[in-house]
Amino acid sequence: MSDPRLVLVAHGTRNPAGVEVIAALADAVAPHVGPVRVAFVDVLGPTPSEVLRDVDGPVVVVPAFLASGYHVHADVPREIAESGHDDVHVTRALGPDLDLARVLRDRLEQIGWTTGDRVVLAAAGSSDVRALDDVHTAADQLAAVTGSAVTVAYVATGEPRAADLVPTLKATGEKVFVASYLLAPGLFHTRLQSAGADGVTEPLGLHGGVVQLLVDRYREGVDVISAAAARSRRERPESGRQ
């Protein structure tokens, strides 16, 4: 069996810089896993179903989402079903994960945060409670690796809004740093930069820890596909056996 192809599925954005980050992530992962295809579930194409119809053999789909909401639980399975591809394994989403928490800590240190400074984990937000739960898990993980108080805020959907929370915390006299829980630059990150914090991290983007996590997700998927293929071979009746 040939190595499964990796299909990286992201949200999609009209911001060229955001699209470039996803393409750059695929390029960074490719030396470790082989050719990578990129698909988007919203805003622009190609869609996962379009990409999967163009790929032969086993496929590992990695949802490049920092929390698992409607897109991960509904859009991705629907796209796979519409593609008609019958050999696809979908891995866990990129986040939440302790490795991402370590990337966020690194990003915070780069902008002058020190242990004890207040941290706001700022996510895009979602109307799906499963995604919101994931963001709170990410905040707990970040608190564990930083030893600092971490408060959740959202840029678009959900409360409290980062634009409201940051000034409230600053009014107490604390230093407040925003950990941008966004994968790529765009409008949401621009809004965070105007919230009035003492510092705002860069999006997770092309950090080496993110690249390695994508590779790890792919390899998890390969292991599942390989195990399924091995079971199938064991269960298949031997040809010509009496």
Side-chain angles (χ1 to χ4, degrees):
M1 181 181 71
S2 61
D3 289 338
R5 179 69 67 88
L6 170 58
V7 174
L8 189 64
V9 177
H11 182 276
T13 174
R14 293 183 178 85
N15 186 295
V19 177
E20 288 170 6
V21 165
I22 301 302
L25 276 173
D27 289 342
V29 170
H32 306 282
V33 306
V36 179
R37 296 289 300 273
V38 172
F40 300 97
V41 295
D42 201 2
V43 182
L44 72 164
T47 65
S49 60
E50 290 170 337
V51 170
L52 288 170
R53 282 193 288 266
D54 193 42
V55 177
D56 295 324
V59 176
V60 173
V61 168
V62 177
F65 290 84
L66 302 179
S68 294
Y70 185 83
H71 291 308
V72 173
H73 291 291
D75 284 340
V76 171
R78 174 181 50 77
E79 289 281 348
I80 292 171
E82 289 178 358
S83 76
H85 201 300
D86 61 0
D87 196 0
V88 179
H89 175 72
V90 183
T91 73
R92 295 177 289 156
L94 198 59
D97 194 282
L98 270 173
D99 285 341
L100 288 182
R102 296 183 183 101
V103 172
L104 287 168
R105 180 184 62 194
D106 188 34
R107 291 281 196 231
L108 285 165
E109 290 172 345
Q110 291 171 356
I111 62 170
W113 164 88
T114 58
T115 302
D117 292 336
R118 170 74 70 163
V119 175
V120 173
L121 180 73
S126 174
S127 58
D128 192 313
V129 294
R130 294 167 295 187
L132 301 182
D133 286 344
D134 279 352
V135 174
H136 281 275
T137 296
D140 291 342
Q141 292 171 337
L142 183 57
V145 302
T146 60
S148 290
V150 177
T151 307
V152 169
Y154 301 99
V155 185
T157 306
E159 296 291 340
R161 296 294 179 91
D164 298 325
L165 179 63
V166 169
T168 300
L169 294 176
K170 286 281 292 178
T172 68
E174 293 183 279
K175 274 193 168 184
V176 180
F177 291 85
V178 171
S180 176
Y181 198 54
L182 301 169
L183 190 60
L187 176 61
F188 289 167
H189 187 71
T190 300
R191 289 179 182 174
L192 291 180
Q193 290 174 316
S194 62
D198 291 285
V200 179
T201 67
E202 290 299 311
L204 292 163
L206 293 172
H207 190 284
V210 177
V211 174
Q212 185 58 54
L213 186 56
L214 285 170
V215 172
D216 291 344
R217 288 285 189 270
Y218 168 78
R219 288 175 178 163
E220 289 172 8
V222 171
D223 288 344
V224 171
I225 290 175
S226 298
R231 285 195 302 272
S232 179
R233 288 193 296 270
R234 289 195 300 269
E235 295 166 359
R236 189 182 304 124
E238 293 182 17
S239 176
R241 184 173 181 177
Q242 299 299 316

CSV table of all heavy atoms in Angstrom, one decimal, residues 44-73:
chain,number,residue,atom,x,y,z
A,44,LEU,N,-13.8,30.0,0.0
A,44,LEU,CA,-13.1,29.8,-1.3
A,44,LEU,C,-12.9,28.3,-1.5
A,44,LEU,O,-13.1,27.5,-0.6
A,44,LEU,CB,-11.8,30.6,-1.4
A,44,LEU,CG,-10.6,30.1,-0.5
A,44,LEU,CD1,-9.4,30.7,-1.1
A,44,LEU,CD2,-10.8,30.5,0.9
A,45,GLY,N,-12.4,27.9,-2.6
A,45,GLY,CA,-12.2,26.5,-2.9
A,45,GLY,C,-10.7,26.3,-3.1
A,45,GLY,O,-9.9,27.2,-3.0
A,46,PRO,N,-10.4,25.0,-3.4
A,46,PRO,CA,-11.3,23.9,-3.7
A,46,PRO,C,-11.9,23.3,-2.4
A,46,PRO,O,-11.3,23.5,-1.3
A,46,PRO,CB,-10.4,22.9,-4.4
A,46,PRO,CG,-9.0,23.1,-3.8
A,46,PRO,CD,-8.9,24.6,-3.6
A,47,THR,N,-13.0,22.7,-2.5
A,47,THR,CA,-13.7,22.1,-1.4
A,47,THR,C,-13.0,20.7,-1.1
A,47,THR,O,-12.4,20.2,-2.0
A,47,THR,CB,-15.1,21.9,-1.6
A,47,THR,OG1,-15.3,20.9,-2.7
A,47,THR,CG2,-15.8,23.2,-2.0
A,48,PRO,N,-13.2,20.2,0.1
A,48,PRO,CA,-12.7,18.8,0.3
A,48,PRO,C,-13.2,17.8,-0.6
A,48,PRO,O,-12.4,16.9,-1.1
A,48,PRO,CB,-13.1,18.6,1.8
A,48,PRO,CG,-13.2,19.9,2.4
A,48,PRO,CD,-13.7,20.8,1.3
A,49,SER,N,-14.5,17.9,-1.0
A,49,SER,CA,-15.0,16.9,-1.9
A,49,SER,C,-14.3,17.0,-3.3
A,49,SER,O,-14.0,15.9,-3.9
A,49,SER,CB,-16.5,17.0,-2.1
A,49,SER,OG,-16.9,18.3,-2.5
A,50,GLU,N,-14.1,18.2,-3.7
A,50,GLU,CA,-13.4,18.4,-5.0
A,50,GLU,C,-12.0,17.8,-5.0
A,50,GLU,O,-11.5,17.1,-5.9
A,50,GLU,CB,-13.3,19.8,-5.4
A,50,GLU,CG,-14.7,20.4,-5.8
A,50,GLU,CD,-14.7,21.9,-5.9
A,50,GLU,OE1,-13.8,22.6,-5.3
A,50,GLU,OE2,-15.6,22.5,-6.6
A,51,VAL,N,-11.3,18.0,-3.9
A,51,VAL,CA,-9.9,17.5,-3.8
A,51,VAL,C,-9.9,16.0,-3.7
A,51,VAL,O,-9.1,15.3,-4.4
A,51,VAL,CB,-9.2,18.1,-2.6
A,51,VAL,CG1,-7.9,17.4,-2.3
A,51,VAL,CG2,-8.9,19.6,-2.8
A,52,LEU,N,-10.8,15.4,-2.9
A,52,LEU,CA,-10.8,14.0,-2.7
A,52,LEU,C,-11.2,13.2,-4.0
A,52,LEU,O,-10.7,12.1,-4.2
A,52,LEU,CB,-11.8,13.6,-1.6
A,52,LEU,CG,-11.4,14.0,-0.2
A,52,LEU,CD1,-12.5,13.8,0.8
A,52,LEU,CD2,-10.2,13.2,0.3
A,53,ARG,N,-12.0,13.8,-4.8
A,53,ARG,CA,-12.4,13.2,-6.0
A,53,ARG,C,-11.2,13.1,-7.0
A,53,ARG,O,-11.2,12.3,-7.9
A,53,ARG,CB,-13.5,13.9,-6.7
A,53,ARG,CG,-14.9,13.6,-6.1
A,53,ARG,CD,-16.0,14.1,-7.0
A,53,ARG,NE,-16.2,15.5,-7.0
A,53,ARG,CZ,-17.0,16.2,-6.2
A,53,ARG,NH1,-17.7,15.5,-5.3
A,53,ARG,NH2,-17.1,17.5,-6.2
A,54,ASP,N,-10.2,13.9,-6.7
A,54,ASP,CA,-9.0,14.0,-7.5
A,54,ASP,C,-7.8,13.2,-7.0
A,54,ASP,O,-6.7,13.3,-7.5
A,54,ASP,CB,-8.6,15.5,-7.7
A,54,ASP,CG,-7.6,15.7,-8.8
A,54,ASP,OD1,-7.7,15.0,-9.9
A,54,ASP,OD2,-6.7,16.5,-8.6
A,55,VAL,N,-8.0,12.5,-5.9
A,55,VAL,CA,-6.9,11.8,-5.2
A,55,VAL,C,-7.2,10.3,-5.2
A,55,VAL,O,-8.3,9.9,-4.7
A,55,VAL,CB,-6.7,12.3,-3.8
A,55,VAL,CG1,-5.6,11.5,-3.0
A,55,VAL,CG2,-6.3,13.8,-3.8
A,56,ASP,N,-6.3,9.5,-5.6
A,56,ASP,CA,-6.5,8.1,-5.6
A,56,ASP,C,-5.8,7.5,-4.3
A,56,ASP,O,-4.8,8.0,-3.8
A,56,ASP,CB,-5.8,7.4,-6.8
A,56,ASP,CG,-6.6,7.8,-8.1
A,56,ASP,OD1,-7.8,8.0,-8.1
A,56,ASP,OD2,-5.9,8.0,-9.1
A,57,GLY,N,-6.3,6.3,-3.9
A,57,GLY,CA,-5.7,5.7,-2.7
A,57,GLY,C,-6.1,6.3,-1.4
A,57,GLY,O,-6.9,7.2,-1.3
A,58,PRO,N,-5.5,5.7,-0.3
A,58,PRO,CA,-5.9,6.2,1.0
A,58,PRO,C,-5.5,7.6,1.3
A,58,PRO,O,-4.5,8.1,0.7
A,58,PRO,CB,-5.1,5.2,1.9
A,58,PRO,CG,-4.0,4.7,1.1
A,58,PRO,CD,-4.5,4.7,-0.3
A,59,VAL,N,-6.4,8.3,2.1
A,59,VAL,CA,-6.2,9.7,2.4
A,59,VAL,C,-6.3,9.9,3.9
A,59,VAL,O,-7.2,9.4,4.5
A,59,VAL,CB,-7.2,10.5,1.6
A,59,VAL,CG1,-7.1,12.0,2.0
A,59,VAL,CG2,-7.1,10.4,0.1
A,60,VAL,N,-5.5,10.7,4.4
A,60,VAL,CA,-5.6,11.2,5.8
A,60,VAL,C,-6.0,12.7,5.7
A,60,VAL,O,-5.3,13.5,5.1
A,60,VAL,CB,-4.3,11.1,6.6
A,60,VAL,CG1,-4.4,11.8,7.9
A,60,VAL,CG2,-3.9,9.7,6.7
A,61,VAL,N,-7.2,13.0,6.2
A,61,VAL,CA,-7.7,14.4,6.3
A,61,VAL,C,-7.4,14.9,7.7
A,61,VAL,O,-7.8,14.4,8.7
A,61,VAL,CB,-9.2,14.5,6.0
A,61,VAL,CG1,-9.7,15.8,6.4
A,61,VAL,CG2,-9.5,14.1,4.6
A,62,VAL,N,-6.6,16.0,7.7
A,62,VAL,CA,-6.3,16.7,9.0
A,62,VAL,C,-7.1,18.1,9.0
A,62,VAL,O,-6.8,18.9,8.2
A,62,VAL,CB,-4.8,17.0,9.2
A,62,VAL,CG1,-4.6,17.8,10.5
A,62,VAL,CG2,-4.1,15.7,9.2
A,63,PRO,N,-8.1,18.2,9.9
A,63,PRO,CA,-8.8,19.5,10.0
A,63,PRO,C,-7.9,20.5,10.7
A,63,PRO,O,-7.6,20.4,11.9
A,63,PRO,CB,-10.0,19.2,10.8
A,63,PRO,CG,-10.1,17.7,10.8
A,63,PRO,CD,-8.7,17.2,10.7
A,64,ALA,N,-7.5,21.5,10.0
A,64,ALA,CA,-6.6,22.6,10.5
A,64,ALA,C,-7.4,23.6,11.2
A,64,ALA,O,-7.5,24.8,10.9
A,64,ALA,CB,-5.8,23.2,9.4
A,65,PHE,N,-8.2,23.2,12.3
A,65,PHE,CA,-9.0,24.0,13.1
A,65,PHE,C,-8.5,23.9,14.5
A,65,PHE,O,-8.1,22.9,15.0
A,65,PHE,CB,-10.5,23.6,13.0
A,65,PHE,CG,-11.1,23.8,11.7
A,65,PHE,CD1,-11.0,22.9,10.7
A,65,PHE,CD2,-11.9,24.9,11.5
A,65,PHE,CE1,-11.6,23.1,9.4
A,65,PHE,CE2,-12.5,25.2,10.3
A,65,PHE,CZ,-12.3,24.3,9.2
A,66,LEU,N,-8.6,25.1,15.3
A,66,LEU,CA,-8.1,25.1,16.6
A,66,LEU,C,-9.2,24.7,17.6
A,66,LEU,O,-8.9,24.5,18.8
A,66,LEU,CB,-7.6,26.5,16.9
A,66,LEU,CG,-6.5,27.0,16.0
A,66,LEU,CD1,-6.1,28.5,16.4
A,66,LEU,CD2,-5.3,26.1,16.0
A,67,ALA,N,-10.4,24.5,17.1
A,67,ALA,CA,-11.5,24.0,18.0
A,67,ALA,C,-12.5,23.2,17.0
A,67,ALA,O,-12.6,23.6,15.9
A,67,ALA,CB,-12.2,25.1,18.7
A,68,SER,N,-13.1,22.2,17.5
A,68,SER,CA,-14.0,21.4,16.7
A,68,SER,C,-15.5,21.8,16.9
A,68,SER,O,-16.1,21.4,17.8
A,68,SER,CB,-13.8,19.9,17.1
A,68,SER,OG,-12.6,19.5,16.8
A,69,GLY,N,-16.0,22.6,15.9
A,69,GLY,CA,-17.4,23.0,15.9
A,69,GLY,C,-18.0,22.4,14.7
A,69,GLY,O,-17.8,21.3,14.3
A,70,TYR,N,-19.0,23.2,14.1
A,70,TYR,CA,-19.8,22.7,13.0
A,70,TYR,C,-19.0,22.3,11.8
A,70,TYR,O,-19.3,21.2,11.2
A,70,TYR,CB,-20.8,23.8,12.6
A,70,TYR,CG,-21.8,23.3,11.6
A,70,TYR,CD1,-22.9,22.6,11.9
A,70,TYR,CD2,-21.5,23.6,10.2
A,70,TYR,CE1,-23.8,22.2,10.9
A,70,TYR,CE2,-22.4,23.1,9.2
A,70,TYR,CZ,-23.6,22.4,9.6
A,70,TYR,OH,-24.4,22.0,8.6
A,71,HIS,N,-17.9,23.0,11.5
A,71,HIS,CA,-17.2,22.7,10.3
A,71,HIS,C,-16.5,21.3,10.4
A,71,HIS,O,-16.5,20.6,9.5
A,71,HIS,CB,-16.1,23.8,10.1
A,71,HIS,CG,-16.6,25.1,9.6
A,71,HIS,ND1,-17.5,25.3,8.6
A,71,HIS,CD2,-16.4,26.3,10.2
A,71,HIS,CE1,-17.8,26.5,8.5
A,71,HIS,NE2,-17.1,27.2,9.4
A,72,VAL,N,-16.0,21.0,11.6
A,72,VAL,CA,-15.3,19.7,11.8
A,72,VAL,C,-16.3,18.6,11.9
A,72,VAL,O,-16.2,17.5,11.3
A,72,VAL,CB,-14.4,19.8,13.0
A,72,VAL,CG1,-13.8,18.4,13.4
A,72,VAL,CG2,-13.3,20.8,12.8
A,73,HIS,N,-17.4,18.8,12.7
A,73,HIS,CA,-18.4,17.8,13.0
A,73,HIS,C,-19.4,17.5,11.9
A,73,HIS,O,-19.9,16.4,11.7
A,73,HIS,CB,-19.1,18.1,14.3
A,73,HIS,CG,-18.3,18.0,15.5
A,73,HIS,ND1,-17.7,16.8,16.0
A,73,HIS,CD2,-17.8,18.9,16.4
A,73,HIS,CE1,-17.0,17.0,17.1
A,73,HIS,NE2,-17.1,18.3,17.3
